[in-house]
């Protein structure tokens, strides 16, 4: 099923994400639910979260009857965590 999911995403979703400097990665597929994360410029953008989740869910459910839902997994990148730690250390004089 992963191959079918990737094929739909490559044809209907990824080109749109790439137009905005973004990308996505499928994390898992279980019980009809595709879990994914956004990468690139789309990662962490509040507007992209809703739009992309809707876009991905629509594309997958229209083309693959085995997919019931697509869920965005929000993660904080290690780079962003390092930046936050640096700001906190600088603020506290460490």
């Amino acid at each position: 099923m992963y191959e079918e999911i990737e094929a739909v995403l490559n044809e209907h979703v990824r080109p749109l994400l790439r137009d905005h400097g973004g990308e996505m990665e499928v994390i898992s597929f279980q019980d009809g639910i595709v879990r994914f994360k956004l990468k690139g410029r789309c990662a962490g953008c509040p507007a992209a979260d809703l739009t992309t989740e809707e876009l991905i869910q629509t594309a997958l459910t229209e083309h693959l009857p085995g997919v019931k839902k697509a869920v965005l997994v929000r993660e904080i990148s290690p780079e962003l965590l390092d930046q936050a730690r640096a700001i906190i250390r600088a603020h506290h004089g460490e």
Side-chain angles (χ1 to χ4, degrees):
M1 185 65 155
Y2 278 101
E3 287 179 14
E4 291 91 345
I5 290 170
E6 289 293 334
V8 169
L9 294 173
N10 286 336
E11 184 176 345
H12 300 283
V13 177
R14 286 193 171 106
L16 298 171
L17 293 177
R18 289 177 184 140
D19 284 347
H20 296 273
E23 183 56 81
M24 66 165 297
E25 177 184 342
V26 174
I27 298 172
S28 67
F29 174 71
Q30 186 175 4
D31 300 324
I33 299 172
V34 175
R35 287 183 165 64
F36 67 93
K37 67 180 178 178
L38 294 175
K39 300 169 101 177
R41 293 176 70 192
C42 292
C45 172
D49 287 358
L50 284 175
T51 304
T52 307
E53 191 169 48
E54 180 81 17
L55 169 76
I56 292 169
Q57 181 166 304
T58 299
L60 291 173
T61 56
E62 283 181 2
H63 294 90
L64 300 170
V67 175
K68 300 174 192 158
K69 189 173 185 179
V71 177
L72 173 64
V73 175
R74 291 166 179 88
E75 293 182 345
I76 298 173
S77 71
E79 295 83 14
L80 186 58
L81 282 174
D82 289 343
Q83 287 176 343
R85 288 182 185 114
I87 290 168
I88 291 170
R89 279 193 292 272
H91 181 71
H92 291 289
E94 295 179 17

